Amino acid sequence: MASNENPFGPSPKAVQAMEAAITECNFYPDNDARELRQKLAAGFRVATDQVLVAAGLTSLLDIICRALLKPGQNAVTSQRSFIVYPIATKAAGGEIIEAPTKDDGFDLEAIAAAIAPGTRLVFLANPNNPTGTLFDAAALDRFVARVPEYVVVIVDEAYYEFAQYFAGQRKIQYSHSLDYVRAGRKVVVLRTFSKAHGLAGLRVGYGIGPADLMADFSRLRTTFSVSVPAQAAALAALDDDAHIQLALKNNADGAESLVKELSGLGYRASLTWANFVYCEVGEDAGAVAKRMQAEGVIIRALGAWGAPLAIRVTIGTPEQNQRFLAAFKRVMERAPIRL
Ligand SMILES: Cc1ncc(COP(=O)(O)O)c(C=O)c1O
């Protein structure tokens, strides 16, 4: 329960599509993923050349950094956010500036204040990984209005479907990020098939942004990097709303019960907008994670994110959540240090 995957696996429709595609694996894939891009573009009411498909968002983030950053330039993001932002930025020779968090999440005021003449990119994770926080559509409107023209804003919505579901339940307006793209703003929205669609192992993600930027990014892709089965599965997964709804409902129920149980045990577990829960355990989280692993449950300790006392646990099936909780209680009974 460490990597925020879908506990229900891929959609049966995606599995069927992959099985059929296996027999065509003597051929190289469509390098432009045209059918998938067309379907995404039609669904999101954007032009096909505003959509770029890559081998997961990790790959796309790397491409974006290589396209837009060089030594002496920087990218701005938040502390305690997705770990690939600093990695990809530094690999491209850029510097990463991490603004302080507010209430465990993005402080868009602090991000805007950190933008400097050398800034080319801003990474916003909404919801944020690993803290599960969210900023609403109005907050992003205010931020985008303030960003200088020379900065590209990357709005990473890897957990979009989960957040949208919670936003419906909790009655807030989550995101209308694609409107910025439709209005010609320098905003690139990132989504993935790894989370709600349950295809993390296939590696398919996509960006939606200005056509000229997407063309620049496209030139830096590794040729043929999105495989024949990956493209087939992604196309089929888009048609299986029932499978996604199953994951979303299970996730919302699991989020509620996990946060309640962990809070009941005396730990600070945050409200989540994604498919994982951030929890402060009051002691070295790395040691807790090791003890959990000895119980057969893998969770993420967040020391590398600058949160040495926090864990992140992916929301699983009800059985997996119960197994996590039982192991957590056993593990913490042996070390009763509470907040
Ligand atoms: C915020 C965020 N962005 C991007 C990704 C990477 O997604 P992908 O599997 O498409 O590389 C993750 C994965 O955990 C994530 O949490």
Side-chain angles (χ1 to χ4, degrees), residues 173-185:
Q173 196 194 358
Y174 158 46
S175 173
H176 61 172
S177 54
L178 292 177
D179 285 344
Y180 308 124
V181 180
R182 294 184 194 111
R185 299 301 307 247

Side-chain angles (χ1 to χ4, degrees), residues 81-106:
S81 189
F82 186 42
I83 203 124
V84 173
Y85 306 151
I87 293 171
T89 298
K90 289 178 201 163
E95 186 202 344
I96 190 85
I97 296 175
E98 295 185 334
T101 54
K102 188 171 158 194
D103 301 329
D104 285 334
F106 271 75

Side-chain angles (χ1 to χ4, degrees), residues 143-171:
F143 178 80
V144 169
R146 277 180 70 178
V147 172
E149 251 306 291
Y150 57 85
V151 173
V152 177
V153 180
I154 307 296
V155 184
D156 183 343
E157 296 181 339
Y159 302 94
Y160 174 83
E161 295 86 350
F162 299 104
Q164 189 72 305
Y165 190 90
F166 283 124
Q169 280 189 329
R170 297 170 188 168
K171 309 266 179 283

Side-chain angles (χ1 to χ4, degrees), residues 275-306:
N275 65 345
F276 52 84
V277 171
Y278 176 88
C279 179
E280 293 193 349
V281 293
E283 61 165 299
D284 175 15
V288 172
K290 278 207 185 105
R291 300 204 297 274
M292 288 293 289
Q293 187 152 353
E295 296 277 341
V297 180
I298 303 173
I299 56 167
R300 189 71 68 193
L302 299 175
W305 283 257

Side-chain angles (χ1 to χ4, degrees), residues 3-4 55-59 61 82 84-85 125-129 156-159 190-195 200 203-205 276 312:
S3 296
N4 309 336
L57 292 184
T58 46
S59 165
L61 285 164
F82 186 42
V84 173
Y85 306 151
N126 196 33
N128 186 37
N129 174 15
D156 183 343
E157 296 181 339
Y159 302 94
L190 305 185
R191 307 255 174 98
T192 181
F193 286 92
S194 297
K195 307 298 178 183
R203 315 306 301 125
V204 200
F276 52 84
R312 188 192 67 200

